[in-house]
Amino acid sequence: MVERRDRAPHRFLRHGSGSASALVFAAGAVALWSTNALVGKSLLASHPVSQVQFLQFTGAALVFAAIRLMSRERPAPVSAGPGLVSLAVGFIGLVGTMVLQYIAFASMPVIEANLMAYTWPLMVAAAVIALQNPRRPVLLGLAAVVGFVGVALVISGGRNQSWLQGDLVGYVAAFGSALCMAFYSVMVGRVATSPDRLLLPSSLIGVALTFLWCARDGFAWPVGMDLALGLYLGAGPMGLGYYFWSRALKLEGSGKVAVVAYLTPIASTLLLTLSGERLTMTAIVGAVLVIGSCVAVGVERSEAENHV
């Protein structure tokens, strides 16, 4: 009996330490992700999306390889490498999310694409309603509906009060990016593969695919600041951002961590606005609805996880 009572504080301390570490990792991911749209916008002004993506995946692959080399985990046998499920999760989450996001950035106003791409928490909420037994499904459902109403207002009011000012491909790509990130956020905590082993193969596949894309479009290697910014997008928002987010989800699931992640559209939209991007009043109302619904979903899921 004494031993059982003694173990409880240790379990509490371990859980508290894990929660704190998860929040630190999540905050790091949000800080890096918040710069993604702003830096991407500056590069896309003078370089094709294929070239920006190649630099991103190159930078990300270097980061994941360095993390893998520095990992204290013992080398696994060749047969124990990531399985097909893990490879699919990494490919959809990393390659699918980032390629579609940058196609959206290049095809429509970046500030709108950024807001739409960060509707993935609402998609996760929809999945929770459909596949699980949430404590307050009505609240989750209303939050998701409000969020998508906000998206409609962003699309309709972003430019001159008219619909679809960007290329239709951009809007489809932005939603596709959100779907990929929602899938990744749900699945990454359910696979046993460590984040570095999960993401390194996907980043290398991304390097190969975007190199072929560059070769088709015509390749001109950037220099100076553009080269540095392109590699930063890979090493920062894509590389360390995904690694931190994956570590956070594996430590804490998607409760408190999710609330921190939903700060990303707030910070990134603020940075874009400061850089000169503008939204009409209608689109601003839509942005508030999107961000508010994301936070509401995050708080509800955090409370549900704590209740359990």
Side-chain angles (χ1 to χ4, degrees), residues 76-81:
V78 175
S79 60

Side-chain angles (χ1 to χ4, degrees), residues 148-209:
F148 287 115
V149 169
V151 171
L153 291 176
V154 170
I155 297 172
S156 64
R159 293 292 178 89
N160 300 323
Q161 303 293 334
S162 58
W163 285 82
L164 300 176
Q165 284 295 306
D167 190 330
L168 180 60
V169 172
Y171 294 96
V172 174
F175 274 114
S177 175
L179 280 171
C180 290
M181 190 60 190
F183 171 81
Y184 182 79
S185 294
V186 170
M187 293 299 298
V188 68
R190 303 186 180 189
V191 295
T193 310
S194 62
D196 51 304
R197 294 182 65 222
L198 182 71
L199 294 167
L200 178 56
S202 299
S203 64
L204 292 174
I205 293 172
V207 170
L209 292 178

Side-chain angles (χ1 to χ4, degrees), residues 103-297:
I103 290 174
F105 284 173
S107 306
M108 60 187 288
V110 172
I111 195 166
E112 297 176 12
N114 185 62
L115 282 167
M116 292 173 64
Y118 279 103
T119 58
W120 62 263
L122 307 179
M123 297 177 180
V124 173
V128 169
I129 295 171
L131 303 176
Q132 299 181 17
N133 186 26
R135 293 173 60 220
R136 288 179 281 191
V138 174
L139 178 60
L140 280 175
L142 286 176
V145 169
V146 167
F148 287 115
V149 169
V151 171
L153 291 176
V154 170
I155 297 172
S156 64
R159 293 292 178 89
N160 300 323
Q161 303 293 334
S162 58
W163 285 82
L164 300 176
Q165 284 295 306
D167 190 330
L168 180 60
V169 172
Y171 294 96
V172 174
F175 274 114
S177 175
L179 280 171
C180 290
M181 190 60 190
F183 171 81
Y184 182 79
S185 294
V186 170
M187 293 299 298
V188 68
R190 303 186 180 189
V191 295
T193 310
S194 62
D196 51 304
R197 294 182 65 222
L198 182 71
L199 294 167
L200 178 56
S202 299
S203 64
L204 292 174
I205 293 172
V207 170
L209 292 178
T210 53
F211 177 79
L212 294 175
W213 191 3
C214 283
R216 190 199 68 173
D217 291 348
F219 191 86
W221 189 260
V223 296
M225 184 58 69
D226 286 352
L227 175 60
L229 289 176
L231 292 175
Y232 164 76
L233 283 175
M238 185 186 288
L240 291 176
Y242 262 83
Y243 179 74
F244 289 164
W245 179 240
S246 303
R247 287 290 304 273
L249 287 176
K250 284 183 175 293
L251 285 170
E252 182 64 21
S254 53
K256 295 176 182 177
V257 168
V259 181
V260 178
Y262 302 155
L263 297 175
T264 308
I266 300 175
S268 56
T269 300
L270 177 61
L271 288 176
L272 286 170
T273 302
L274 293 175
S275 74
E277 288 283 323
R278 292 290 179 264
L279 290 171
T280 65
M281 186 55 66
T282 302
I284 289 173
V285 172
V288 170
L289 292 178
V290 170
I291 293 168
S293 61
C294 285
V295 172
V297 168

